[in-house]
């Protein structure tokens, strides 16, 4: 991840890339299933909130 990309991520201007998420899941995430289930819930919630 570039310095510019990290700064944008930390300031909330953008999200991390798919490669960064995959590396996180592979190297840092102790419970991948729980992480992905939580991410799925957030996406479902944010998607329905956008429709309201």
């Amino acid at each position: 991840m570039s310095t510019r990309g990290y700064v944008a991520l930390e300031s909330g201007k953008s999200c991390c890339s798919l490669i960064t998420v995959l590396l996180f899941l592979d190297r840092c995430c102790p419970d991948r299933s729980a992480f992905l289930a939580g991410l799925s819930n957030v996406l479902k919630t944010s998607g329905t909130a956008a429709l309201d």
Side-chain angles (χ1 to χ4, degrees), residues 21-37:
V21 171
L22 293 174
L23 287 171
F24 168 76
L25 287 173
D26 184 52
R27 298 182 182 170
C28 302
C29 189
D31 188 353
R32 293 177 191 140
S33 296
F35 175 83
L36 293 173

Side-chain angles (χ1 to χ4, degrees), residues 15-50:
C15 224
C16 59
S17 69
L18 177 61
I19 297 297
T20 304
V21 171
L22 293 174
L23 287 171
F24 168 76
L25 287 173
D26 184 52
R27 298 182 182 170
C28 302
C29 189
D31 188 353
R32 293 177 191 140
S33 296
F35 175 83
L36 293 173
L39 179 61
S40 177
N41 288 337
V42 167
L43 293 174
K44 287 176 186 174
T45 303
S46 66
T48 57

